[in-house]
Amino acid sequence: MKKHYKSIFFLAVTVIFITGCKNSGQLTGDLLPDRRGGTIQVATLDELQQAVLNVKPHETILIADGVYRLKQPLMIENKTHFTLRGASGDAAKVVLQGGGWEGGNPRDGIVIRSSRDVVIADLGIVDFRTFGIKVEALGNEKFPESPENIHVLRCNFMNIGVRAIKGTAPANRHPLVGGSVRFCRFENTKVPDTTWQFRGDYVSAIDMMYLKDWTFSDNAFYNIRGANGGGRGAIFIWNQSRNIVVERNKFIGCDRSIAFGNPSEPTHYEPGTLHNYDGIIRNNFIVAGDRRGKGIEVTWADNVEVCHNTIYAPEQQYRAIHYFQKVSGLNIANNLVQGNILGEGDAQLTGNLKGNLDGYFISPAVGDLHLTVRAEKAIGKGTETGCAQNDIDGQERKKIPDIGADELR
């Protein structure tokens, strides 16, 4: 009975992603804030641009169904407490379109500067050369404040050439505080050619730095790949980021799925500075992409937990979890891996299972890594860590948990 229920749940979530990350009621509806300032309804590109320019605190901009071919980025500057979202709640029906993967204008979709408590929801963001959404701290006289509490919810990102979501700041004194990306879909149907940066491997879905207290959860990532199998992490967090949680995401066919840190030293490097502090990577499903890639990469990090992830690769030599370069206090626990776990540095490994896991999963080809009853060496064989009280479906774990992201009952 339990497995039948979980199969239905997984199918339902997949349908939500495929049809545009629709509002799924209680599952995500409570993430939208109650804006007391009223709504502005727009149905043309000119109305949309004027509404974003003139929006007041505590207002919501509702965008009617349609394709909006932007002539310039939507600039959200010095705004507070407002929501920009598709009126129908279906990201497949409200699309912001850019100048194309190859580089026509505009190259960016939405730029957020010096703003607080902004929600972007229920939008399709497609065909931009550089960034779908850029969250930018400048720290100058015109834009002195860093963006804070920026949330992206139930959006579809398709064919963004460099970064679907980019977060950047000039230095650690301007962190981007308290944001999230939830219930979104990221997909590329194209691969950069070798004339792009770093011979075609400078591509990612989410690339953010100088973050504090951000969550990336319940998203799906498909085919985030570079020309040579060296694409950056589909979720790539680096440069002095703190208290980052990456959980309950699904990755299929990405060169790197999750990267905490960059093998290069942090920007504005000072002795002792790292890329990530006090982070958690848990309850993710990863189906490997290029055999030269990685599932989870951790570098230049302190006090990071990598627990209860399930990673599947056809080749058992695949680097499912790889840690190296200035790693301390790393806890790798209860991960279920068809692939390899390897690295160097101060790391504690407990309760992990790796090797040939044929028959352990419902359908790896479509990213369904829920356990079957044949997963005997994983069921009830985990260690008590406290890292993940619930599984990928939000279900409470047993006292002696199963290994991996799924808890079979």
Side-chain angles (χ1 to χ4, degrees), residues 145-165:
E145 304 296 330
S146 295
E148 184 174 325
N149 291 325
I150 307 300
H151 302 279
V152 182
L153 174 65
R154 299 189 305 258
C155 289
N156 285 352
F157 296 84
M158 174 72 77
N159 288 337
I160 312 297
V162 178
R163 304 291 192 260
I165 300 177

Side-chain angles (χ1 to χ4, degrees), residues 248-264:
R248 299 189 305 274
N249 302 284
K250 181 175 72 173
F251 303 83
I252 299 179
C254 301
D255 287 347
R256 281 178 175 81
S257 293
I258 303 169
F260 266 24
N262 186 330
S264 301

Side-chain angles (χ1 to χ4, degrees), residues 255-313:
D255 287 347
R256 281 178 175 81
S257 293
I258 303 169
F260 266 24
N262 186 330
S264 301
E265 65 187 26
T267 308
H268 311 294
Y269 176 70
E270 297 178 1
T273 300
L274 300 174
H275 281 303
N276 277 273
Y277 303 83
D278 308 322
I280 298 175
I281 301 171
R282 65 187 171 202
N283 287 336
N284 298 284
F285 280 171
I286 297 174
V287 177
D290 192 282
R291 61 181 176 79
R292 296 165 290 183
K294 302 178 185 181
I296 297 173
E297 179 180 75
V298 180
T299 67
W300 294 71
D302 178 64
N303 194 34
V304 169
E305 294 190 88
V306 179
C307 63
H308 282 289
N309 300 283
T310 300
I311 306 173
Y312 176 87

Side-chain angles (χ1 to χ4, degrees), residues 124-247:
I125 300 174
V126 305
D127 295 333
F128 289 93
R129 174 63 180 89
T130 310
F131 305 125
I133 296 176
K134 185 176 186 182
V135 184
E136 185 174 35
L138 296 177
N140 58 24
E141 184 175 347
K142 185 176 181 180
F143 302 108
E145 304 296 330
S146 295
E148 184 174 325
N149 291 325
I150 307 300
H151 302 279
V152 182
L153 174 65
R154 299 189 305 258
C155 289
N156 285 352
F157 296 84
M158 174 72 77
N159 288 337
I160 312 297
V162 178
R163 304 291 192 260
I165 300 177
K166 175 68 176 178
T168 185
N172 191 39
R173 64 181 181 274
H174 299 286
L176 309 176
V177 178
S180 68
V181 180
R182 304 173 190 258
F183 298 98
C184 292
R185 178 186 175 99
F186 300 81
E187 182 176 10
N188 284 346
T189 63
K190 303 177 181 181
V191 177
D193 64 48
T194 55
T195 64
W196 289 20
Q197 297 182 63
F198 295 91
R199 296 192 306 117
D201 283 331
Y202 194 69
V203 61
S204 175
I206 298 172
D207 172 351
M208 305 189 79
M209 63 181 81
Y210 299 115
L211 300 186
K212 182 179 180 182
D213 303 331
W214 276 65
T215 296
F216 302 86
S217 70
D218 305 286
N219 305 291
F221 299 83
Y222 299 90
N223 303 316
I224 309 302
R225 299 184 293 128
N228 311 287
R232 290 5 183 198
I235 297 180
F236 174 29
I237 309 299
W238 58 304
N239 259 347
Q240 303 180 53
S241 292
R242 298 177 181 272
N243 301 319
I244 307 305
V245 176
V246 175
E247 62 183 353

